[in-house]
């Protein structure tokens, strides 16, 4: 046991040391480890009295705080250090850009610097002592945390509401609080707003009171302690759907009125669940191309940076793997024990590990070392073979990632012509360092028609599997698992890139084209249209057109939008008319911004002058024509940038005309996008300016727009984008490189001027000396003067 404890301590120390180092690509060199604030004094209860004018985007609030001293012993002032004494009588509340009207409480004073509200009592708190203080303030249209949506002439269909969203540290923009998750309070809400609106908040609804002034006050109370980032409330004019009750608790859904009750109902299937896992893994893999970090990490520029694809998709996959490893009963027993033991307390990752170990008997240290405190994931390269002499099929998996080898077990299934599936397991043991594992199947003369790897989605991994075309077709058409079917579609498409002219590859494309006509699974169509949309082929064009002839209810909005992108990829002159007709036909496009976005992406790929003109018109109307889709607004910006760079457009508008089109696109994107009221659109605008290599020259505009409309925790991400754009420009000799060259030239000119000044000063000094000498030897002769003149003195 002492040895195990020592090893665990060494592991913990090593993990902690690694956790303190900035991860390249994730955190800047300036990033420092972040720790929780001191908690000698903390709010343990907040009673919020909120008066909301949604139309005016204004909140008037009075908040009563019950502040408690958590220390078990408070030294007397004479014995305490200055810092300790101050902690026992001073509380700092995060509060950004609020109009503080009053602070009321016994023997309390306050200071406010625009970022924090400091409450100071005349004497120190005693251990466990609680005191009340009330803060009254106002705020209008805060930059974050509380978001207002109000219809106007540009967006007449916009829903009327205000709603909070605090992740990760945004509550401070409308509520004075300790804006850190370790500090948690119980809550009361009194929300007063127009009587036509519905108020929703954390906790149980205690009552609704109709007021004489046309407002109503709704009261909620939450007795569970809640951190600031999970505190939430809203005042809305939304559709309400009442669902079944669970343990006596009615379930209700609220959504903007453009939704229908049917859209809010749950119609998810097992394939939806598997596809969600696939999407989460893909998101995590994509981010790992930029950086890989431990899931547990304390060194970052902004807490918002932690809300990335490592924490959510990557983290959720690790929880999923634990459930698969331990089994349903052990896993949920451990979760239940964890919640019961630590409810309302501050926890660390190892607390969760110990709870699962206690319920299951497993030692999970190695799992957490690899998957939580370590970095990366397995990259599996699979191969398949069949030995007709022995009647044996073999599937071999090889871990191909750089860095550490993972101890995992991967299930493998094969389909026989008789319709029977056989199962096996490829195990990478923790007892050795072998990176190859094989599974053998005795099949006799029944040559397998399909092979599925990890068919039940138990292990996070990226798979490379390129068996024969017959096997891929078998998986695509007969596979049981959507993940393996998707991989087969992708592999068939990859094969097409090798040599389109080869008959074998063309056969693969023909299968894909036929699948566009016959595939009925919506989730498979989503991936099929995405991947097939990367290829130019007459048969695929026919498949896309056939797919678009089907009702959207059969194929889904995502596949429909991607099918239009596939049409654009063909660059067939006849298809421009199809796209232009579709964008103007509300019956065809419907209300889906995603489908419209697909058409705009297609027009950007086509790159004709006519298509470019449509994109210019769309971008010029951004924020003016009442289109409520954030997706559509973002795509219209990025599509215009892409259109200018399209090869077909460059061929149609060469030379000076192309330069004018680029300049027009830059000006329009900067003007409309940076002024748009939606943060998602501003982000897309910055990316578009980067794509057009205009971000460096527009850096001041970008900084001004983001500082005025984004919270402080968002700023580091924009600075990283601008820094990367500057580095690319310097590498290519762009504006930044030109600026650097200009600086060098100016420095060289300054040096020359300094040298010239020094020379002139020397000559002036020599002239003064000569004149004095001449005066002393008067009378000066004309010959002497000529001599001085010739010497330049």
């Amino acid at each position: 046991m002492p040895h195990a404890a020592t090893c665990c301590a060494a592991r913990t120390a090593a993990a902690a040391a690694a956790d303190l180092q900035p991860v390249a690509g994730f955190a800047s060199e300036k990033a420092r480890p972040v720790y929780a604030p001191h908690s000698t004094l903390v709010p343990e209860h907040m009673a919020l009295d909120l008066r909301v004018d949604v139309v005016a985007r204004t909140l008037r609030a009075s908040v009563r705080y019950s502040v408690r001293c958590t220390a078990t012993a408070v030294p007397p002032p004479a014995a305490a250090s200055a810092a300790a004494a101050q902690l026992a009588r001073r509380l700092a509340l995060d509060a950004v850009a609020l109009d503080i009207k009053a602070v009321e409480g016994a023997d309390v004073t306050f200071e406010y610097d625009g970022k924090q509200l400091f409450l100071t009592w005349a004497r120190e708190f005693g251990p466990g002592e609680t005191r009340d203080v009330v803060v009254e303030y106002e705020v209008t249209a805060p930059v974050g945390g509380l978001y207002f949506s109000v219809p106007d002439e540009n967006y007449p269909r916009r829903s009327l509401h205000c709603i909070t969203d605090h992740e990760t540290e945004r509550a401070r923009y409308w509520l004075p609080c300790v804006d850190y998750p370790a500090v948690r309070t119980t809550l009361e809400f009194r929300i007063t707003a127009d009587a036509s609106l519905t108020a929703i908040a954390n906790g149980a609804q205690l009552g609704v009171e109709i007021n004489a002034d046309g407002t109503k006050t709704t009261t909620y109370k939450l007795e569970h302690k809640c951190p600031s980032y999970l505190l939430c409330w809203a005042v809305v004019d939304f559709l309400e759907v009442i669902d079944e009750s669970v343990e006596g608790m009615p379930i209700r859904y609220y959504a903007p009125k453009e939704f229908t009750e049917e859209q809010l109902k749950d119609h998810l299937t097992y394939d939806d669940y598997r596809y969600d896992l696939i999407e989460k893994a893909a998101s995590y893999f994509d981010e790992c191309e930029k950086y890989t970090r431990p899931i547990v990490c304390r060194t970052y520029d902004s807490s918002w940076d932690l809300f990335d694809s490592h924490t959510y998709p990557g983290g959720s996959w690790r929880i999923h793997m634990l459930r698969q490893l331990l089994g349903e009963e052990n896993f949920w027993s451990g979760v239940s024990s964890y919640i019961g033991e630590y409810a309302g307390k501050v926890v660390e990752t190892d607390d969760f590990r110990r709870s699962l170990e206690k319920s299951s008997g497993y030692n999970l240290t190695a799992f957490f070392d690899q998957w939580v405190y370590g970095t990366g994931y397995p990259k599996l390269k699979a191969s398949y073979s069949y030995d007709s002499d022995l009647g044996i099929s073999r599937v071999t998996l090889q871990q191909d990632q750089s860095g550490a080898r993972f101890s995992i077990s991967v299930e493998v299934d094969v389909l026989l012509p008789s319709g029977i599936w056989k199962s096996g397991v490829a195990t990478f043991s923790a007892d050795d360092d072998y990176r190859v594992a094989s599974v053998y199947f005795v099949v006799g003369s029944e040559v397998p028609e399909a092979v599925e790897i990890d068919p039940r989605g138990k292990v996070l991994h990226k798979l490379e599997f390129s068996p024969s075309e017959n096997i891929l077709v078998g998986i695509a058409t007969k596979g049981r698992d959507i993940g393996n079917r998707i991989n087969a579609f992708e592999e068939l498409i990859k094969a097409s890139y090798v040599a389109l002219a080869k008959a074998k590859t063309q056969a693969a494309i023909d299968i894909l084209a036929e699948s566009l006509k016959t595939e009925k699974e919506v989730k498979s169509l989503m991936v099929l249209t995405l991947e097939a949309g990367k290829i130019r082929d007459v048969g695929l064009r026919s498949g896309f057109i056939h797919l678009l002839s089907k009702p959207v209810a059969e194929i889904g909005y995502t596949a429909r939008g991607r099918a239009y992108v596939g049409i654009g990829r063909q660059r067939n002159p006849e298809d421009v008319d199809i796209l232009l007709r579709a964008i103007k036909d509300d019956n065809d496009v419907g209300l889906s911004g995603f489908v419209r976005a697909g058409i705009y992406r297609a027009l950007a790929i086509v790159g004709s002058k006519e298509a470019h003109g449509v994109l210019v018109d769309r971008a010029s109307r951004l924020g003016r024509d009442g289109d409520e889709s954030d997706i559509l607004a973002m795509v219209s910006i990025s599509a215009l940038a892409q259109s200018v760079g399209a090869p077909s457009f460059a061929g149609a508008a060469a030379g000076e005309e192309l330069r004018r089109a680029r300049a027009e696109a830059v000006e329009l994107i900067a003007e409309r996008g940076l002024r748009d009221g939606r943060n998602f659109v501003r982000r897309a605008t910055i990316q578009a300016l980067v794509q057009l290599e205009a971000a460096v020259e527009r850096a001041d505009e970008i900084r001004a727009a983001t500082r005025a409309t984004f919270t402080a925790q968002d700023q580091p991400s924009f600075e990283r984008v601008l820094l990367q754009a500057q580095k690319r420009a310097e590498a290519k000799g762009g504006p930044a490189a030109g600026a650097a060259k200009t600086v060098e030239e100016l420095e060289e000119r300054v040096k020359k001027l300094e040298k010239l000044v020094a020379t002139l000063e020397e000559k002036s000094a020599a002239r003064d000396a000569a004149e004095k000498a001449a005066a002393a030897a008067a009378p000066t002769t004309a010959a002497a003067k000529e001599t001085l003149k010739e010497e330049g003195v």
Side-chain angles (χ1 to χ4, degrees):
M1 289 304 293
H3 173 70
T6 302
C7 291
C8 186
R11 189 270 307 167
T12 302
D19 185 32
L20 298 180
Q21 302 302 314
V23 175
F26 169 69
S28 71
E29 295 178 356
K30 298 178 181 179
R32 294 293 179 267
V34 179
Y35 303 95
H38 296 299
S39 57
T40 305
L41 298 184
V42 296
E44 66 173 4
H45 181 75
M46 290 192 294
L48 296 86
D49 192 344
L50 311 175
R51 296 190 65 87
V52 188
D53 187 335
V54 180
V55 174
R57 296 180 168 86
T58 297
L59 169 69
R60 287 186 292 143
S62 175
V63 181
R64 176 173 54 82
Y65 302 83
S66 295
V67 180
R68 185 172 67 88
C69 178
T70 63
T72 57
V74 177
S81 67
Q86 187 179 57
L87 286 173
R89 66 188 189 91
R90 183 176 171 90
L91 173 65
L93 299 176
D94 299 302
V96 179
L98 305 180
D99 183 5
I100 306 295
K101 299 295 186 182
V103 174
E104 298 176 359
D107 298 323
V108 64
T109 58
F110 75 93
E111 300 170 58
Y112 182 52
D113 64 3
K115 294 183 178 180
Q116 286 189 304
L117 177 64
F118 299 95
L119 306 178
T120 304
W121 281 264
R123 60 179 178 82
E124 289 76 10
F125 278 60
E129 182 183 357
T130 299
R131 301 176 190 173
D132 284 359
V133 62
V134 176
V135 178
E136 297 179 3
Y137 62 95
E138 292 185 9
V139 62
T140 298
V143 72
L146 176 60
Y147 302 92
F148 291 87
S149 172
V150 182
D152 57 29
E153 60 181 4
N154 291 324
Y155 295 94
R157 298 194 305 274
R158 177 180 283 165
S159 62
L160 180 67
H161 68 264
C162 70
I163 190 167
T164 59
D165 180 7
H166 299 154
E167 292 181 335
T168 50
E169 296 165 7
R170 291 184 169 90
R172 64 187 66 189
Y173 292 95
W174 71 268
L175 172 68
C177 61
V178 181
D179 205 6
Y180 197 85
V183 176
R184 305 168 188 185
T185 66
T186 53
L187 299 166
E188 289 179 72
F189 296 89
R190 280 178 52 83
I191 305 173
T192 302
D194 189 278
S196 64
L197 303 176
T198 301
I200 310 165
N202 296 104
Q205 187 183 99
L206 301 184
V208 179
E209 179 183 351
I210 304 299
N211 305 313
D213 61 356
T215 65
K216 67 181 178 184
T217 301
T218 310
T219 305
Y220 289 86
K221 186 172 184 178
L222 180 69
E223 296 182 347
H224 297 283
K225 290 189 174 182
C226 177
S228 60
Y229 89 99
L230 293 179
L231 181 156
C232 60
W233 60 272
V235 174
V236 301
D237 181 22
F238 278 6
L239 168 72
E240 178 186 66
V241 176
I242 301 176
D243 204 345
E244 63 186 61
S245 294
V246 177
E247 297 181 355
M249 182 72 67
I251 306 298
R252 297 181 182 181
Y253 304 94
Y254 293 89
K257 291 185 175 179
E258 58 261 33
F259 285 83
T260 65
E261 182 172 339
E262 183 65 23
Q263 286 175 303
L264 297 183
K265 291 182 178 179
D266 183 355
H267 299 289
L268 298 181
T269 65
Y270 176 79
D271 273 358
D272 290 302
Y273 152 75
R274 279 287 289 120
Y275 188 75
D276 185 62
L277 285 173
I278 294 165
E279 284 193 318
K280 282 182 168 59
S283 173
Y284 172 64
F285 296 155
D286 287 345
E287 191 169 83
C288 285
E289 295 299 315
K290 303 173 185 176
Y291 61 83
T292 57
R293 67 168 179 85
I295 302 302
V296 174
C297 177
R298 73 166 75 251
T299 301
Y300 46 83
D301 294 292
S302 166
S303 58
W304 184 239
D305 293 340
L306 289 176
F307 282 55
D308 59 0
S309 291
H310 279 67
T311 297
Y312 276 98
S316 64
W317 248 103
R318 284 155 173 82
I319 298 295
H320 170 74
M321 289 173 63
L322 282 167
R323 183 167 65 91
Q324 300 299 320
L325 175 66
L326 303 181
E328 296 286 336
E329 185 174 346
N330 286 338
F331 176 79
W332 290 114
S333 175
V335 170
S336 180
S337 297
Y338 173 71
I339 294 172
E341 182 174 357
Y342 297 107
K345 300 177 183 177
V346 177
V347 295
E348 295 184 350
T349 304
D350 277 344
D351 296 322
F352 181 57
R353 173 182 60 81
R354 283 188 286 267
S355 293
L356 294 180
E357 288 179 337
K358 186 176 180 180
S359 71
S360 66
Y362 278 64
N363 183 337
L364 296 173
T365 303
F367 180 94
F368 276 73
D369 277 356
Q370 280 205 324
W371 291 100
V372 180
Y373 300 113
T375 61
Y377 59 91
K379 296 180 179 180
L380 300 181
K381 182 178 290 186
S383 61
Y384 164 80
S385 63
Y386 169 69
D387 189 322
S388 58
D389 293 334
L390 298 176
I392 292 177
S393 289
R394 182 178 71 176
V395 177
T396 300
L397 302 182
Q398 177 180 343
Q399 291 196 30
D400 201 38
Q401 74 277 4
S402 60
R405 166 193 173 279
F406 285 79
S407 300
I408 53 176
S409 295
V410 183
E411 295 177 351
V412 179
D413 291 356
V414 297
L415 173 64
L416 304 181
S418 60
I420 297 174
W421 286 88
K422 284 197 166 189
S423 300
V425 179
T427 299
F428 296 88
S429 173
D431 299 328
D432 56 56
D433 292 325
Y434 294 128
R435 285 179 173 256
V436 178
S438 296
V439 186
Y440 296 87
F441 299 91
V442 179
V443 297
S445 60
E446 285 197 273
V447 182
E449 297 180 341
V451 178
E452 293 191 334
I453 296 171
D454 191 30
R456 284 158 284 283
K458 294 184 177 182
V459 180
L460 176 64
H461 67 278
K462 181 181 283 187
L463 178 65
E464 182 182 334
F465 185 35
S466 302
S468 67
E469 189 171 306
N470 289 338
I471 293 293
L472 287 174
V473 172
I475 299 170
T477 57
K478 301 177 182 179
R480 297 179 298 181
D481 173 53
I482 186 173
N484 279 271
R485 294 206 306 274
I486 287 170
N487 183 73
F489 282 132
E490 291 175 344
E491 288 300 325
L492 286 168
I493 291 166
K494 286 179 185 177
S496 69
Y497 290 130
V498 177
L500 281 171
K502 292 184 179 180
K504 180 179 179 181
T505 304
Q506 188 59 52
I509 296 177
D510 291 343
I511 292 170
L512 294 173
E514 185 64 24
S515 296
L516 286 171
K517 299 178 181 179
T518 59
E519 177 63 48
K520 296 181 180 180
E521 170 54 52
V522 172
K523 294 297 186 295
S524 294
L525 278 172
M526 289 168 64
V527 176
L528 178 59
T529 50
L530 175 65
E531 299 300 331
K534 300 174 182 177
I535 303 173
R536 293 183 67 184
D537 179 80
V538 174
L540 287 175
R541 175 178 179 270
S542 174
F544 283 126
I545 292 176
H546 179 85
L547 186 66
L548 289 170
S549 69
K550 297 182 179 181
V552 71
E554 290 185 15
I555 66 175
Y557 288 109
T558 301
R560 189 172 185 81
R562 289 174 177 173
Y564 278 117
V565 175
I567 287 289
R569 184 74 62 194
Q570 309 312 312
R571 297 192 183 94
N572 188 316
E574 298 177 9
D575 295 340
V576 175
D577 289 337
I578 294 177
L579 298 172
L580 295 179
R581 284 198 307 271
I583 202 65
K584 298 174 183 177
D585 186 354
D586 285 338
N587 292 325
D588 179 45
V589 176
L591 297 177
S592 169
F594 199 97
V595 176
R596 290 179 181 269
I599 298 174
Y600 285 128
R601 288 190 179 100
L603 290 170
I605 296 170
V606 169
S608 68
K609 288 186 178 181
E610 189 175 11
H612 179 74
V614 171
L615 296 174
V616 169
D617 178 67
R618 178 65 187 83
S620 67
R621 291 185 288 109
L622 189 67
R624 293 176 176 168
D625 63 356
D627 199 316
E628 288 302 299
S629 170
D630 286 349
I631 292 176
L632 184 58
M634 291 188 292
V635 169
S636 66
I637 289 288
S638 59
L640 177 57
Q642 183 181 355
S643 173
V644 176
S648 50
F649 183 75
E656 184 60 30
E657 185 178 4
L658 181 60
R659 284 191 290 272
R660 284 199 305 270
R662 178 194 175 277
E664 178 188 29
V666 168
E667 193 65 32
L668 185 57
I669 288 171
E671 177 189 350
R672 301 306 309 166
L674 291 178
R675 295 179 186 175
D676 193 278
R678 292 166 288 184
N679 286 345
F680 287 113
V681 177
R682 291 196 190 95
R683 288 184 182 276
T685 298
I686 293 169
Q687 292 298 332
L689 292 174
V690 170
Q691 183 178 347
L692 289 169
E693 298 181 350
V696 176
E697 63 190 75
R698 297 273 180 165
D700 290 342
E701 288 180 64
I702 292 172
R703 288 192 175 97
T706 56
R707 285 172 182 166
T709 55
F710 285 90
T711 61
Q713 63 184 202
D714 292 308
Q715 297 304 322
S717 64
F718 296 119
E719 288 300 327
R720 285 195 294 268
V721 169
L722 291 176
L723 180 61
Q724 292 166 2
Q726 183 176 349
K727 288 181 177 179
R728 284 195 294 269
E730 290 172 353
K732 294 182 65 175
K741 185 178 180 181
T742 301
V743 170
E744 291 175 2
E745 291 174 350
L746 288 173
E747 289 176 344
E748 186 63 30
R749 290 177 63 183
V750 167
K751 290 179 182 178
K752 290 180 179 179
L753 286 171
E754 288 175 343
K755 186 176 182 180
L756 178 60
V757 168
T759 301
L760 291 173
E761 287 176 344
E762 289 175 2
K763 289 183 176 181
S764 178
R767 182 178 62 190
D768 290 344
E771 288 179 350
K772 289 179 181 179
T780 303
T781 63
K785 289 183 179 179
E786 279 298 319
T787 300
L788 291 173
K789 185 176 180 181
E790 289 173 2
E791 291 178 357
V793 178

